[in-house]
Amino acid sequence: MTTTTTTTERRRLTAIRAAWLFDGVSDALAPNPTVVLDGTTIVAVHGPDEVPDGADVIDLAGATLLPGLVDGHVHTVFDASADPVARLAERDDAAAFAAMTAFARAAARGGVTTMRDLGDRDYLSLGLRAAAAADPGLPHLLVAGPPITTPGGHCHFLGEGAAGVAGVRAAVRERAERGVDIIKIMASGGNMTPGSRPEVPQYGPEELRAAVDEAHRLGLRITAHAHSTQSIVDALAAGIDGFEHLSFMTADGIDPIPDDVLTGLVARAVTVGLTLGFKPVPGAAPPPGIVARRPALMANGRRLIESGVHVIPGTDAGIAPIKPPDVIRWAFGQFQEIGLTAAQALHVCTARAAAALGLGDRKGRLVPGYDADILAVDGNPLTDTEALHRIRTVYLRGTALALA
Ligand SMILES: [Zn+2]
């Protein structure tokens, strides 16, 4: 038996020094950190005077280092224009893929180092996920493929419709065979599709149970887009793992959260992706129906948090100009509006979101052994919400992005 010895030249370490560090889980910032990277990984977090011999030193005076942000719900196929559905319809797959890549790069430059795409067209996000694994300019990506929806239902133009118990089961199987990371099902109608009504369920209890059962049988988690109260009740009863929006929407308003739904969400530790985050854009505003409902939506969000429901950011980035690829930075402020402290809002945008996405062992924290996904901002985001927008640099798996 022969032994082959491979000599690899040791990479130079990088030591990033800054004013403060938020590690993803603490309630306070640590002063004067030195974060040491070896290639794509954080290997040490030291105090100021502990720079390893021979390391390249990056001095970010006045900056706070945070874990890169984690968004649980984006749509890379939508380009955050005034009519992303029409724009997508004009694009063939190659053009759509180029736009999706540009979306992902923009997200990374805005501090988003991990994101979950909950609805593409024709599985294009699988190619983007593969590209991201090899390209240090693209965030880490989890993907659902096209959402499961009824023929002609909400976002039907993203793939093929699925109806009935057998149809839903087949749709889950197809996605599993393609290699998606999670199943997304449109339990109710939605806002972007003409003719679709958010307050009306798309699937009944049996179809939802079949979808959950098939997903779990194939080892996948499943999250439900659900606006209508009935679709929320049915999906919860079906054993759903996550909700998107969870708006309790009626034809003309928002229902209060039924007590038994709240109890069920907590007892079953269901993850709720809240659609927070609106970038102020001159001339662009949320739809009037959302503006009118916003106080009631925010009140429900506050109740979820007070009750201990596991919430994460699920921004729906891409669906409108107020939802650009990096809109999660505006969700940070809105989480505070519904009752989180600034530190808790950072927890949900980093470590807690990463854990909910199944990446809690390598993303969302600045500790040794974790991926070197780092957002450096000017100032202290715990006392100044705007600090999150003053980006100094972003490291994606150890590589500093060029911020144009
Ligand atoms: Zn969405």
Side-chain angles (χ1 to χ4, degrees), residues 30 73 99 142 150 252 301 310 318 320 331 336 352:
H73 183 160
L142 299 178
T150 50
D252 54 3
H310 186 180
Q336 296 174 63
R352 292 195 63 167

Side-chain angles (χ1 to χ4, degrees), residues 85 89 131 166 170-171 180-181 245 249 273 312 315 337 380 382 400:
V85 174
V180 303
D181 299 294
H245 314 304
M249 196 173 284
I312 65 166
T315 64
E337 286 174 38
N380 179 347
L382 295 190

Side-chain angles (χ1 to χ4, degrees), residues 73 75 184 245 316:
H73 183 160
H75 295 282
K184 160 88 172 295
H245 314 304
D316 237 349

Side-chain angles (χ1 to χ4, degrees), residues 19-224:
W20 300 97
L21 177 131
F22 169 73
D23 65 4
V25 297
S26 298
D27 286 325
L29 303 183
N32 302 312
T34 302
V35 176
V36 183
L37 317 184
D38 183 359
T40 61
T41 306
I42 298 168
V43 291
V45 178
H46 293 307
D49 303 320
E50 298 172 78
V51 175
D53 284 346
D56 293 322
V57 177
I58 309 288
D59 246 311
L60 297 174
T64 299
L65 306 179
L66 312 100
L69 305 175
V70 179
D71 194 338
H73 183 160
V74 309
H75 295 282
T76 58
V77 281
F78 295 140
D79 62 4
S81 62
D83 193 348
V85 174
R87 295 279 297 274
L88 177 62
E90 294 160 9
R91 294 185 175 122
D92 63 13
D93 282 356
F97 189 78
M100 293 165 75
T101 307
F103 179 111
R105 284 195 203 291
R109 287 195 302 270
V112 185
T113 54
T114 299
M115 57 190 195
R116 188 169 64 178
D117 189 314
L118 287 186
D120 69 359
R121 187 181 76 191
D122 298 333
Y123 298 96
L124 288 173
S125 63
L126 289 163
L128 189 61
R129 182 182 68 184
D135 183 337
L138 296 172
H140 186 77
L141 207 62
L142 299 178
V143 304
I148 295 177
T149 193
T150 50
H154 179 47
C155 287
H156 63 90
F157 45 82
L158 295 176
E160 287 173 23
V165 164
V168 165
R169 280 192 186 273
V172 172
R173 276 199 300 278
E174 179 187 331
R175 283 157 181 77
E177 285 160 7
R178 293 276 198 148
V180 303
D181 299 294
I182 186 162
I183 301 292
K184 160 88 172 295
I185 187 164
M186 301 299 203
S188 78
N191 290 302
M192 295 183 82
T193 310
S196 180
R197 290 166 56 194
E199 74 279 12
V200 177
Q202 291 201 148
Y203 288 114
E206 276 149 42
E207 289 160 313
L208 291 171
R209 265 199 303 277
V212 171
D213 179 63
E214 195 69 18
H216 288 176
R217 197 177 66 78
L218 296 168
L220 288 170
R221 290 167 65 82
I222 176 168
T223 190

